[in-house]
Amino acid sequence: MNHDDRDREAHSGAESGEEGTARGSGGRLDVRPGVASPGSTAPGAQRRVRRELGIDEHVEGILSGDRVILGKTITLIESRRTEHNRTALQVIEKLLPHTGRSVRIGITGVPGVGKSSFIEALGSMLTARGHRIAVLAIDPSSQRSGGSIMGDKTRMEKLSVDPAAFIRPSPSAGSLGGVARKTREAMLVCEAAGFDVIFVETVGVGQSETMVRSMVDFFLLLMLAGAGDSLQGIKRGIMELADAVAINKADGENLQAAKAARSEYEMALHLMKYPAPDWNPPVLTCSAVTREGIDEVWNTVQRYRDLMTDNGWMERQRREQALDWMRDSIAQSLQDRFRAHPRVAELLPSLERGVADGTLPPLLAAQRLLEMFFDDEISTL
Ligand code: GDP
């Protein structure tokens, strides 16, 4: 386990049984290799942090609903070390027969629209009805800036202490494609641990929506009324991905505006192409604060699920998603391996400079690097 991973594990509370419930970026817990943590009271705590579980321990722990082990398995999935990822894959392979039975819901919307408040409201309603919910996140901002739109505030206060809920922040390392792959794997592990509703949350700013759409059964777009420009920077393409739109903050003075916006969005959606049969994406209004309309959103998800199960769309969608997943993994692995190749890594910066300043044709640069990579790959076969 490298420093980053150890930090992450310590930070996310794996040893205290809190892993996965803490969201946001508090102070880093500085656990250095070989240095006893001054605050550590439990003897052997350092050793426990480092001990790696065997595959069967992961599998059994997850199947028995042990959240500490669930958190540790997701930490393995998110690790940058290949051997951790390999172990995680073996764990997932064993868990596969226990996956696939949850309702997978993607949620998107611009920052401030109320995504976390909405998940808190709907999630609490569901746990009160006996469901077990997991919340995973994909935050594209953390890839670009190292900071995060989602993570730096206290979110989902009630759910984060609800024993029937598991909240995991977005993995911060790697490309968006890499993060998506990790989130898919985390989703399977959560399903095997008995969570029957999985929310995958993302910020409505672009590419991450397509990825989330490709891993969930139902994709919900949250919007606001009366925020000036009718589509609020949400690209048309994102509206086209939605199975339903919910106008949040339909409360107090905002209620009338929300109702007006509803017809506006209904018209906009009506003009768009929607792929699934027997379904026109509805526009709903809700309030994460008063909780008005939240159960209607859930009823909509269930209605969609029943219909799409009956007409075969659900199965078809999951099959296509599985194929997408495989293809994405291949592309991702090839890219990782290409970038990790020593000669490629050495030459890439200078070739990129040549391409950028116009002295080297892009195709030629690509060809040189690929030849170097494939020649070496083939010679090691
Ligand atoms: P996110 O960035 O999309 O996750 O948005 P948050 O859930 O953090 O909400 C942003 C702000 O809007 C917070 O101050 C919330 O209290 C507020 N908010 C969220 N949902 C509602 C709602 O339904 N009604 C009202 N009035 N405020 C809300």
Side-chain angles (χ1 to χ4, degrees):
M1 197 178 279
N2 65 19
H3 193 148
D4 275 347
D5 296 329
R6 191 166 34 250
D7 266 358
R8 184 175 172 77
E9 187 150 321
H11 174 56
S12 56
E15 288 308 306
S16 58
E18 291 164 9
E19 173 125 16
T21 59
R23 190 180 258 267
S25 49
R28 276 162 77 90
L29 218 145
D30 198 11
V31 182
R32 264 174 256 119
V35 179
S37 155
S40 164
T41 46
Q46 285 288 308
R47 203 170 48 245
R48 278 215 316 277
V49 169
R50 265 190 226 139
R51 190 175 90 76
E52 293 186 1
L53 300 176
I55 291 169
D56 288 339
E57 283 175 292
H58 279 284
V59 172
E60 280 155 27
I62 285 165
L63 291 179
S64 68
D66 183 325
R67 3 181 358 121
V68 175
I69 295 193
L70 172 62
K72 279 175 182 277
T73 310
I74 299 181
T75 299
L76 274 195
I77 290 171
E78 291 174 354
S79 165
R80 289 182 222 190
R81 285 176 54 180
T82 323
E83 67 266 30
H84 287 163
N85 300 160
R86 263 194 213 121
T87 310
L89 262 188
Q90 285 172 284
V91 173
I92 292 169
E93 202 180 345
K94 291 202 165 183
L95 292 173
L96 268 186
H98 307 275
T99 63
R101 284 192 281 263
S102 78
V103 189
R104 303 167 178 172
I105 304 172
I107 299 204
T108 193
V110 294
V113 72
K115 292 179 295 300
S116 51
S117 313
F118 175 86
I119 294 174
E120 166 105 335
L122 176 55
S124 312
M125 186 190 96
L126 293 175
T127 59
R129 292 183 187 174
H131 291 283
R132 296 185 67 216
I133 68 143
V135 184
L136 307 173
I138 293 185
D139 181 354
S141 59
S142 62
Q143 272 86 55
R144 260 179 256 139
S145 61
S148 151
I149 299 178
M150 287 181 174
D152 49 7
K153 52 188 172 167
T154 311
R155 295 153 54 87
M156 305 181 213
E157 281 170 11
K158 268 175 78 182
L159 275 186
S160 63
V161 293
D162 186 335
F166 178 83
I167 302 176
R168 184 84 181 186
S170 175
S172 55
S175 64
L176 192 52
V179 168
R181 180 177 64 182
K182 291 168 199 290
T183 306
R184 279 170 159 142
E185 291 174 5
M187 184 166 79
L188 293 183
V189 172
C190 287
E191 287 179 345
F195 293 94
D196 63 338
V197 181
I198 316 261
F199 293 101
V200 184
E201 177 192 3
T202 193
V203 182
V205 289
Q207 222 194 344
S208 60
E209 275 73 23
T210 321
M211 288 187 174
V212 174
R213 183 69 201 86
S214 74
M215 63 179 88
V216 297
D217 303 320
F218 188 91
F219 193 59
L220 177 69
L221 170 60
L222 289 184
M223 302 209 48
L224 293 176
D229 172 33
S230 59
L231 297 189
Q232 303 158 34
I234 286 276
K235 295 198 188 80
R236 199 190 146 87
I238 294 177
M239 272 195 96
E240 277 176 342
L241 299 174
D243 299 302
V245 173
I247 300 165
N248 190 37
K249 307 197 188 182
D251 47 44
E253 289 176 354
N254 219 4
L255 191 56
Q256 284 315 312
K259 286 186 179 158
R262 182 177 183 165
S263 4
E264 191 185 331
Y265 293 141
E266 268 167 359
M267 270 164 47
L269 273 177
H270 199 68
L271 299 173
M272 293 182 184
K273 268 217 306 273
Y274 178 75
D278 309 328
W279 187 260
N280 290 314
V283 182
L284 309 160
T285 55
C286 66
S287 166
V289 170
T290 66
R291 313 236 154 159
E292 191 86 24
I294 298 290
D295 56 349
E296 186 49 32
V297 175
W298 178 241
N299 292 342
T300 303
V301 174
Q302 285 187 304
R303 204 156 47 81
Y304 172 91
R305 212 167 170 246
D306 290 346
L307 257 167
M308 298 300 159
T309 304
D310 288 348
N311 70 15
W313 179 261
M314 191 66 80
E315 201 194 320
R316 192 175 137 193
Q317 180 167 261
R318 284 214 176 171
R319 270 209 309 262
E320 277 171 18
Q321 289 177 345
L323 285 172
D324 277 352
W325 187 347
M326 186 191 83
R327 291 170 188 144
D328 285 355
S329 303
I330 293 172
Q332 189 66 41
S333 303
L334 281 173
Q335 213 177 94
D336 291 350
R337 198 139 162 199
F338 176 74
R339 290 192 173 277
H341 186 280
R343 292 215 296 151
V344 168
E346 193 190 318
L347 262 177
L348 193 62
S350 67
L351 293 187
E352 277 184 345
R353 265 198 309 278
V355 170
D357 63 24
T359 54
L360 185 64
L363 280 181
L364 186 64
Q367 196 186 10
R368 265 192 211 156
L369 289 164
L370 287 170
E371 270 172 10
M372 189 186 303
F373 175 69
F374 284 120
D375 282 351
D376 286 0
E377 285 293 303
I378 288 166
S379 67
T380 56
L381 279 182

